[in-house]
Amino acid sequence: MKFNIAIFFFFFSLYVTAQNRATLNYLNEPISVVFSELEEKFNIKFSYNSELVNDRFITLQLKEALLEDILFFLEEKAAIRIKKESERYYTVKSRRLRLTDTQELDEVLIEEYLTTGISKKNDDASISLSPQKLGILPGLTEPDVLQSIQLIPGVQSPTETAAGLYIRGGTPDQNLILWDGIKMYHSGHFFGTISAFNPYITDEIKVYKNGTKARYGNRISGVIDITSDSEIPKEINGGFGFNMTHADAYLKAPLDNKSAVMVSARRSITDAFDTETFRNLSQRVFQETKISDGNKIFEDDEFLTTKDIFYFTDFTVKAMLKPNAKNQFTISSLYTKNKLDYGFLIEEFEEASQDKLEIINQGTSFNWNHESSESFSHELNVYISDFELDYIGSNSITDEFSDALNKQNKIQDLGFSFDTDWKLNSTKSLGLGYQFSSNKVAYGLNFIDSEAPEENFDESNIDTNNTQALYLEYRYKTKNKWFINAGIRTNYFSVSDQLFVEPRVQIERALSSSLRFKISGESLHQAVSQIVEFNTQEFGLENQIWALSDGVNIPVLESAQLTAGFILDYSGWNVDIEGYYRNIQGLTSFTLGFDNIDDFFSKGKSNVFGLDVLIKKKIQNYRTWLSYSIMNNDFTFDNINNGESFSGNTDITHHLTWSHTYEWNRFNVSLGWNIRTGIPYTKAAGLIDTPDGTVIDFKETNGARLPNYDRVDISATYKFNVSTNEKWKGKLGVSLLNLYNKENILSRTYEKRQSTTETGEVLREVNRSSLGITPNVVFRLEF
């Protein structure tokens, strides 16, 4: 089967079709002239305000370029935004950028890092994604915000979820996720399988794996900075649609020519329609939990579901005001919710059980952007973010016993930042900023057992960390030669009464017109993270809670990273090679949850060596890219494995993806192959009797590995016009995950289970498998 797929990939790569192209050679040409020639060459029309083209000149040289590539370069070089309204008509608007980004210095090096809508600039270590322009990706019919990121080398999801992003050996809670300046503490729906962010109102996603700007802080792994659309439209526009898990709608309406409002909403449809997609997702999420097996004592026990409620929803509201060319104000609000209420009954024993879980993350931000002059601007951002997790689990047998476990985790995060940009001259600029945040974290765990009151407990903790940060950045750039971004950030954490200094530097040097060398180094610290609590492990879902560092049991996390590599952009080939080393201090067994530990608490560190490689080729309207990552992630803990290093929990040694996209008229198709090394796990030798009872005898921590992971995904979309004036447009898409239904094991643990054939307990191997073959269908209308 794998051989046949490889043959299919080969012939698919050779099948390409010609498309209209143009060779352009402009030297300081008025942009109005460029628009006129493009209209003639491609039979299109541009609509724009005549004031927009005044004093705008273009220098551009492109050979046999597609229209979409030409428009991309025009957007970047002229600081404009071009929107496709129909197959023929385009609107042009001014695009407001930070002053430090408006230097006319050939900013973009790779305009299509993977496909359309994904770019990489040579004046920033980030990778930029624009969902509105994003081309089709393997297995995705819609531009899921977090799943799209996983195609970037060095970004992995061993759990096969959208929200479970592991960036270069870091864990998901070590990623800083911002939505319009609001810190997010829960970024997924349906236990992480779907992003909690609506892609149809998202303007840009900036992803940092390294070279993090000094303005970002209090996380030690990646940065995912999401901004929603802030343009003020001239007329009402919007859209709505559905797939096999949820439906959504959004609307953007101008109040006048200087203000607008945007609203969006999404909700799962799974409580109304039982789809094959949701059934497969449910099977993967709930496998080997109380919800899947009914808390059975014996394998042949039969149980009856008494309650089955689950849904997720999110909605946003954004108001925009631009009173003049120098000021812009926005107010953004986001609300996300996941709710589960499940109950079952084993009639033979009159045993009832119920689990209620509710997770809410909401926030609001206010942003003011002001340009005092051509050389100086500032930005003020104020935000509040609230996270709340409530879980209640109960079990009872009529006239015998009852128990109840309550868990709460709450975060109130309030903060503001004031950032300035000062352009010293055409090659130098300074950035200076101050940030403050107050982070109140509460945790409570309560257990009541009517049969064994001595096991009852009530634990809780509330603490607050006030963070103050001051940063300074110096940027130096010469045309086609040097780019240097050197910064320093100081963080003061009140919870540990410590001051941390974080130097950061990013350097790029052009070795030729198509080859660049890059190197970066950074130091990062984090005072809030997730720890594993074992009291709700029977429920099997969401058994991590947010907690503040206390300097003792939960140290402040520290990370240092050094990165170096090359970027090649030549004749349709894009190659990005980057090697890195990371050292993470402050890890504990609380944060990682090992199966085999001699002591309940142990401190440790992580050393990560890795190499990320991306090779991409574009042939007319066909694209293919190969992404490969090799990583060695070793842990060292005081009381684990006799203090010797061992493989980290998600140490994926090799990870290869090979993706293809092809465009033909209104059709788009994408195929992707994903293969990687299995993650480590701790193997069990058997059961042993101790004075405290029977326990599992584990071998060396993370001394074994799961089988290799292997999956092929495919997707296709078709775009069409609904109205004759092309104002109403539609899209129909289908996708198949795990095309050849490969059974992949995502994790392996062990548990004690009552024997059905003899007295006593037996050891049971618990394997959690990946998705089987899973279809999805999407239908959308936009106007």
Side-chain angles (χ1 to χ4, degrees):
M1 185 65 181
K2 295 180 182 178
F3 176 77
N4 292 336
I5 292 172
I7 293 296
F8 177 75
F9 277 0
F10 176 76
F11 284 105
F12 182 70
S13 302
L14 297 179
Y15 182 60
V16 294
T17 301
Q19 194 171 355
N20 289 340
R21 294 170 175 270
T23 297
L24 306 178
N25 188 358
Y26 297 115
L27 179 61
N28 204 29
E29 193 76 25
I31 195 171
S32 57
V33 174
V34 177
F35 284 154
S36 298
E37 293 189 5
L38 290 179
E39 288 178 337
E40 183 178 348
K41 289 177 182 288
F42 291 96
N43 191 27
I44 58 176
K45 289 290 184 181
F46 291 102
S47 174
Y48 52 87
N49 190 319
S50 58
E51 295 182 359
L52 179 68
V53 301
N54 293 339
D55 300 321
R56 290 182 187 257
F57 299 88
I58 290 293
T59 296
L60 185 65
Q61 292 183 338
L62 293 174
K63 184 177 181 180
E64 292 296 314
L66 296 170
L67 176 61
E68 60 186 30
D69 296 332
I70 298 171
L71 298 182
F72 183 91
F73 276 102
L74 289 177
E75 285 185 321
E76 295 298 324
K77 288 185 173 293
I80 58 176
R81 188 180 299 276
I82 303 173
K83 183 178 180 181
K84 184 177 182 179
E85 303 293 346
S86 67
E87 290 301 315
R88 188 183 181 196
Y89 290 95
Y90 293 78
T91 58
V92 185
K93 298 179 181 179
S94 178
R95 180 160 60 98
R96 185 179 183 278
L97 298 174
R98 292 179 177 275
L99 287 178
T100 52
D101 291 337
T102 57
Q103 305 172 37
E104 297 182 16
L105 298 172
D106 294 335
E107 290 181 349
V108 175
L109 180 62
I110 301 178
E111 72 277 7
E112 284 189 12
Y113 188 68
L114 297 178
T115 184
T116 54
I118 304 179
S119 60
K120 186 177 179 67
K121 299 181 179 180
N122 59 19
D123 67 344
D124 195 335
S126 70
I127 297 172
S128 175
L129 292 86
S130 176
Q132 301 304 318
K133 301 177 183 179
L134 194 61
I136 189 171
L137 297 175
L140 296 180
T141 52
E142 296 184 281
D144 186 284
V145 171
L146 298 182
Q147 285 183 339
S148 303
I149 296 173
Q150 296 176 21
L151 289 173
I152 299 173
V155 181
Q156 300 166 331
S157 179
T159 56
E160 229 181 29
T161 60
L165 299 180
Y166 292 75
I167 299 178
R168 290 183 169 175
T171 54
D173 64 303
Q174 295 170 0
N175 297 324
L176 176 63
I177 300 180
L178 301 171
W179 187 86
D180 277 358
I182 304 169
K183 291 181 184 177
M184 301 300 300
Y185 292 89
H186 193 264
S187 56
H189 285 316
F190 195 16
F191 304 100
T193 56
I194 300 168
S195 300
F197 311 107
N198 191 332
Y200 297 104
I201 62 167
T202 300
D203 180 53
E204 184 183 26
I205 310 158
K206 298 189 77 172
V207 181
Y208 291 85
K209 299 184 295 181
N210 58 278
T212 311
K213 289 186 175 180
R215 65 179 296 165
Y216 299 110
N218 205 5
R219 291 296 190 275
I220 65 168
S221 192
V223 175
I224 302 170
D225 191 352
I226 306 167
T227 55
S228 62
D229 193 357
S230 295
E231 278 193 33
I232 296 176
K234 291 184 177 180
E235 58 183 6
I236 296 176
N237 61 75
F240 57 90
F242 66 88
N243 59 28
M244 295 298 100
T245 58
H246 63 272
D248 79 280
Y250 74 93
L251 184 69
K252 192 174 180 181
L255 303 178
D256 53 37
N257 60 352
K258 296 181 179 180
S259 62
V261 64
M262 178 175 66
V263 295
S264 74
R266 295 192 302 172
R267 193 190 189 282
S268 58
I269 61 173
T270 53
D271 48 351
F273 302 98
D274 184 20
T275 67
E276 179 70 15
T277 306
F278 179 70
R279 284 195 297 269
N280 287 6
L281 290 173
S282 299
Q283 183 178 356
R284 194 203 68 76
V285 168
F286 296 124
Q287 62 181 311
E288 300 296 341
T289 67
K290 287 175 61 178
I291 292 179
S292 66
D293 63 18
N295 204 28
K296 295 186 292 185
I297 298 177
F298 300 102
E299 294 291 342
D300 56 354
D301 285 341
E302 295 183 359
F303 67 93
L304 173 68
T305 300
T306 58
K307 198 172 232 184
D308 189 3
I309 298 174
F310 172 77
Y311 69 87
F312 62 81
T313 186
D314 63 70
F315 63 84
T316 67
V317 179
K318 185 170 185 176
M320 297 152 281
L321 172 64
K322 191 174 182 180
N324 50 54
K326 292 183 177 294
N327 292 281
Q328 182 168 5
F329 302 89
T330 61
I331 298 177
S332 302
S333 183
L334 170 69
Y335 176 89
T336 71
K337 180 179 180 179
N338 285 260
K339 184 178 179 64
L340 171 72
D341 189 352
Y342 184 84
F344 59 84
L345 173 68
I346 301 178
E347 294 183 296
E348 182 179 355
F349 301 102
E350 296 185 344
E351 179 182 357
S353 180
Q354 189 167 12
D355 294 279
K356 295 181 179 180
L357 176 66
E358 187 172 89
I359 304 174
I360 297 174
N361 199 165
Q362 57 186 323
T364 301
S365 68
F366 167 78
N367 184 272
W368 172 34
N369 243 304
H370 175 71
E371 291 186 3
S372 300
S373 65
E374 292 184 359
S375 61
F376 185 80
S377 70
H378 69 71
E379 179 181 359
L380 173 67
N381 184 73
V382 181
Y383 76 90
I384 183 170
S385 180
D386 285 313
F387 166 79
E388 185 170 351
L389 181 150
D390 286 292
Y391 167 73
I392 300 175
S394 63
N395 300 281
S396 66
I397 296 180
T398 305
D399 299 327
E400 289 192 26
F401 87 95
S402 65
D403 64 43
L405 175 64
N406 298 333
K407 181 174 71 172
Q408 291 184 329
N409 191 201
K410 298 181 180 180
I411 298 177
Q412 292 181 337
D413 191 344
L414 172 66
F416 72 89
S417 62
F418 186 77
D419 307 289
T420 63
D421 285 320
W422 184 18
K423 183 179 177 182
L424 303 177
N425 54 42
S426 61
T427 60
K428 302 171 186 175
S429 62
L430 281 178
L432 177 66
Y434 171 77
Q435 299 171 356
F436 172 84
S437 66
S438 181
N439 205 350
K440 182 180 179 181
V441 181
Y443 166 70
L445 192 65
N446 173 269
F447 179 72
I448 299 176
D449 190 335
S450 63
E451 194 174 46
E454 68 278 2
E455 297 184 4
N456 294 352
F457 60 85
D458 188 357
E459 301 175 1
S460 63
N461 182 67
I462 300 178
D463 210 344
T464 300
N465 178 46
N466 293 324
T467 301
Q468 298 190 65
L470 186 67
Y471 75 86
L472 175 68
E473 277 188 336
Y474 171 76
R475 296 161 61 91
Y476 172 78
K477 182 171 181 179
T478 59
K479 190 172 184 179
N480 298 326
K481 287 291 183 181
W482 286 98
F483 173 73
I484 301 174
N485 186 6
I488 188 166
R489 179 186 177 95
T490 59
N491 291 315
Y492 172 74
F493 298 145
S494 66
V495 70
S496 61
D497 192 23
Q498 289 177 286
L499 180 68
F500 298 96
V501 180
E502 301 177 347
R504 306 180 188 183
V505 62
Q506 177 197 357
I507 301 174
E508 288 196 12
R509 175 69 163 88
L511 304 180
S512 68
S513 60
S514 56
L515 181 64
R516 297 181 69 89
F517 170 75
K518 56 182 178 177
I519 187 170
S520 67
E522 60 190 3
S523 175
L524 307 167
H525 296 82
Q526 181 172 337
V528 59
S529 58
Q530 287 185 318
I531 63 174
V532 178
E533 56 84 18
F534 298 96
N535 296 283
T536 57
Q537 59 183 350
E538 185 185 52
F539 179 59
L541 299 165
E542 301 294 344
N543 66 331
Q544 290 185 318
I545 60 169
W546 289 96
L548 284 173
S549 301
D550 57 13
V552 182
N553 291 329
I554 309 175
V556 173
L557 292 171
E558 302 180 30
S559 172
Q561 181 175 196
L562 180 65
T563 305
F566 294 90
I567 300 177
L568 174 68
D569 185 19
Y570 179 75
S571 188
W573 287 93
N574 302 133
V575 180
D576 189 350
I577 302 175
E578 202 166 71
Y580 61 91
Y581 166 73
R582 288 189 67 193
N583 176 263
I584 301 175
Q585 301 281 345
L587 299 177
T588 71
S589 51
F590 285 159
T591 60
L592 298 169
F594 299 109
D595 289 326
N596 181 22
I597 54 175
D598 297 328
D599 295 328
F600 184 67
F601 173 72
S602 182
K603 293 183 180 180
K605 64 180 181 179
S606 171
N607 286 303
V608 187
F609 292 89
L611 180 72
D612 295 334
V613 179
L614 174 69
I615 302 174
K616 173 182 170 288
K617 176 63 176 177
K618 179 180 178 182
I619 308 173
Q620 298 180 6
N621 53 345
Y622 164 73
R623 300 169 180 85
T624 182
W625 65 88
L626 191 71
S627 168
Y628 172 69
S629 294
I630 180 171
M631 181 177 67
N632 181 50
N633 184 6
D634 284 341
F635 287 167
T636 305
F637 278 75
D638 300 336
N639 302 324
I640 301 177
N641 197 27
N642 298 318
E644 300 293 328
S645 63
F646 59 94
S647 297
N649 290 358
T650 54
D651 176 36
I652 298 176
T653 309
H654 303 280
H655 187 193
L656 176 72
T657 61
W658 188 16
S659 304
H660 311 258
T661 66
Y662 175 69
E663 301 174 8
W664 178 65
N665 293 333
R666 298 176 183 267
F667 287 96
N668 291 267
V669 63
S670 183
L671 186 69
W673 184 31
N674 187 340
I675 183 170
R676 61 171 171 81
T677 308
I679 64 172
Y681 75 98
T682 304
K683 193 175 183 64
L687 297 177
I688 57 175
D689 294 324
T690 69
D692 296 325
T694 304
V695 298
I696 301 175
D697 179 23
F698 285 101
K699 294 184 178 181
E700 179 183 348
T701 300
N702 288 349
R705 282 190 178 270
L706 297 174
N708 291 340
Y709 180 97
D710 183 8
R711 194 175 93 175
V712 171
D713 303 326
I714 190 170
S715 55
T717 61
Y718 173 72
K719 296 180 180 179
F720 56 92
N721 291 318
V722 178
S723 58
T724 55
N725 60 3
E726 298 184 348
K727 186 173 182 179
W728 283 82
K729 294 167 286 186
K731 184 178 80 169
L732 182 65
V734 295
S735 67
L736 276 176
L737 299 176
N738 200 355
L739 183 61
Y740 53 91
N741 203 28
K742 173 67 181 296
E743 183 178 356
N744 295 295
I745 300 176
L746 299 178
S747 69
R748 176 173 293 166
T749 57
Y750 297 87
E751 68 175 13
K752 296 179 294 182
R753 173 75 73 164
Q754 187 71 36
S755 175
T756 58
T757 59
E758 58 187 59
T759 304
E761 296 176 313
V762 295
L763 180 67
R764 178 173 179 262
E765 182 180 270
V766 180
N767 290 320
R768 290 179 171 86
S769 300
S770 65
L771 278 172
I773 183 170
T774 302
N776 202 354
V777 176
V778 64
F779 175 78
R780 294 201 61 78
L781 290 176
E782 294 187 344
F783 59 92

